[in-house]
Amino acid sequence: MTRSVVSVTVDLVLLTIRQGALQALLVRRGIPPFQGRWALPGGFVLPDEDLAEAAARELREETGVDPTAGHFEQLATYGAPGRDPRGRVVTVAYLALLPDLPSPVAGSDAAGADWRPVDDIEPGELAFDHDRILGDGIERARAKLEYTPLATAFCPAEFTVADLRTVYETVWRTRLDPRNFHRKVTGADGFVEPTGGTVIRDRGRPAQLFRRGPATLLHPPLLRQSSPPGS
Amino acid sequence: MTRSVVSVTVDLVLLTIRQGALQALLVRRGIPPFQGRWALPGGFVLPDEDLAEAAARELREETGVDPTAGHFEQLATYGAPGRDPRGRVVTVAYLALLPDLPSPVAGSDAAGADWRPVDDIEPGELAFDHDRILGDGIERARAKLEYTPLATAFCPAEFTVADLRTVYETVWRTRLDPRNFHRKVTGADGFVEPTGGTVIRDRGRPAQLFRRGPATLLHPPLLRQSSPPGS
DNA sequence: GTAATAGTGTCTTTCAGACATTATGTC
DNA sequence: GACATAATGTCTGAAAGACACTATTAC
């Protein structure tokens, strides 16, 4: 039996919502190959490290953030023979959905790191096959908002219904009816729980604050392609 | 930077419906480690092979079946440091949903290979962490039947609505109302297309034959946990 | 007061689930 | 004829989308 000896890396698709846009964390590569190009953060898996451990370590190194702050899951694995000029490198990609962090990009060991709106990332701009990995991560996130309560991972510990609606509208690039959205979110079992507090964002009536509920699946789901209001 | 040099394998969760039960293909290991134990089919990725290619090759070797016959997708990757006593082995698992094959388990290079009802596989019976991989594959299959038309992957090229219903009932371990199921399946856009032919299974009115439609997502989805009748 | 946002209630349509009824075959 | 399965139709209740209306703040 012919064994193939390869290197294994983890790459991170880190998504957050900043300034009203879905953004991904990219790093500028300090060393060849693809030196100077933007890429997903990531690195080699250490000899005695589990894959998720390696991804969590990279997340801490790149953002200074605890992986438990948002949501974290394995995305997919990419191992085409020619994807890395250094040789056979198989990468296990992880997807994280994070709240807008107070101190992002701290302690990064890359030449530069920045949040970039995903719509501004040009096709072919990223190193390796990171274009495709990022695209797969975005699509996974979009799909998961429909039937899981993961939109709350983009929010801080306490948030309003309007905050949560903004998450959906930003990720899906749609408008949702605020009144029907409120009814669905507060009606779905275990989606959100009131904290009792309220907050005033700009003008208007104070909004109730909520925290994440215990549900892991949404019943019924919030569907993406429902007819948008006014169209 | 410390690189970890590891071996990479692919493992296959092959699911089909035989004799009214959801079954998985297992092989009996002919060599250590875990010699004589049941395991998922799989093997090492060749030096110039993409991951999906390696999985498709193993599928052909183990079952003699073309991967295009059913459905084929990457499942997940498992790389805990101690999962293989031979050293660091990361495995990329693939999931295939296959119709009941006329010549299963042909050309297998394992000591033995057999379809086994998934409910008869004891916890801890399988080698490595294949218990968990199989469980993840089954759960993925169950979930995907809800919002994709992949149940047709378990059927031959032409099938009846009752055949398709049996797939759902077997995978989900439920009963579905034949009349409502018929209405939903024939009403969902692109799920199935009539071939014009009919067939008589046992007694009763001849059933129309259908083939798979072009849809890749089901709108609306067929939900598993819908309120059970009379409760 | 006006403007703005939060939240509730109501109406209509659509669709899921329950189940009667008809259609077409074997025996 | 009886019996079995396939397919269609009808009824009811739940939920989605549209949108009127009330509540509570800033100005």
Side-chain angles (χ1 to χ4, degrees), chain B residues 51-134:
Chain B
L51 302 173
E53 251 178 78
R57 174 178 53 76
E58 292 287 343
L59 175 58
R60 273 191 301 270
E61 288 176 10
E62 302 286 351
T63 67
V65 128
D66 192 63
T68 60
H71 170 76
F72 195 64
E73 68 177 44
Q74 195 185 98
L75 176 59
T77 299
Y78 303 82
R83 61 173 296 279
D84 190 319
R86 290 169 294 189
R88 191 73 197 266
V89 179
V90 169
T91 194
V92 184
Y94 280 79
L95 172 68
L97 313 182
L98 302 170
D100 192 357
L101 305 165
S103 64
V105 200
S108 169
D109 58 356
D114 209 355
W115 291 102
R116 294 272 306 276
V118 298
D119 291 334
D120 294 357
I121 300 169
E122 308 290 337
E125 183 184 350
L126 301 187
F128 306 105
D129 50 0
H130 288 186
D131 258 323
R132 187 180 156 210
I133 300 175
L134 175 62

Side-chain angles (χ1 to χ4, degrees), chain A residues 14 28 49 107 118 125-126 129 139 152 185 202 208 216 218:
Chain A
L14 306 182
R28 202 179 275 279
E49 207 176 29
V118 299
E125 183 184 351
L126 301 187
D129 49 1
E139 185 44 41
T152 57
V185 166
D202 188 23
Q208 288 183 294
T216 59
L218 277 190

Side-chain angles (χ1 to χ4, degrees), chain A residues 179-180 183-184 200 203-206 220 226-227 229:
Chain A
R179 299 157 293 185
N180 293 334
R183 176 161 42 87
K184 289 187 74 162
I200 300 169
R203 270 201 282 275
R205 173 174 170 175
S226 43
S227 53

Side-chain angles (χ1 to χ4, degrees), chain B residues 165-183:
Chain B
R165 180 166 46 83
T166 301
V167 169
Y168 278 93
E169 292 181 336
T170 305
V171 175
W172 285 350
R173 297 207 223 80
T174 358
R175 291 278 129 191
L176 298 172
D177 184 287
R179 298 157 292 185
N180 292 334
F181 184 83
H182 189 282
R183 176 162 43 88

Side-chain angles (χ1 to χ4, degrees), chain B residues 200-204:
Chain B
I200 301 170
R201 284 274 184 263
D202 186 24
R203 271 202 280 276

Side-chain angles (χ1 to χ4, degrees), chain A residues 3-82:
Chain A
R3 292 200 192 189
S4 179
V5 172
V6 305
S7 298
V8 175
T9 59
V10 289
D11 282 313
L12 300 179
V13 178
L14 306 182
L15 299 179
T16 195
I17 291 176
R18 287 165 66 85
Q19 298 151 353
L22 181 64
Q23 308 211 5
L25 188 75
L26 298 183
V27 298
R28 202 179 275 279
R29 288 185 57 80
I31 56 167
F34 296 101
Q35 184 166 15
R37 290 271 288 276
W38 290 100
L40 298 176
F44 288 95
V45 175
L46 301 181
D48 276 315
E49 207 176 29
D50 198 355
L51 302 173
E53 252 178 77
R57 174 178 53 76
E58 291 287 344
L59 175 57
R60 273 191 300 272
E61 288 176 9
E62 301 286 352
T63 66
V65 129
D66 191 64
T68 61
H71 170 77
F72 195 64
E73 68 176 45
Q74 195 184 97
L75 176 60
T77 299
Y78 304 81

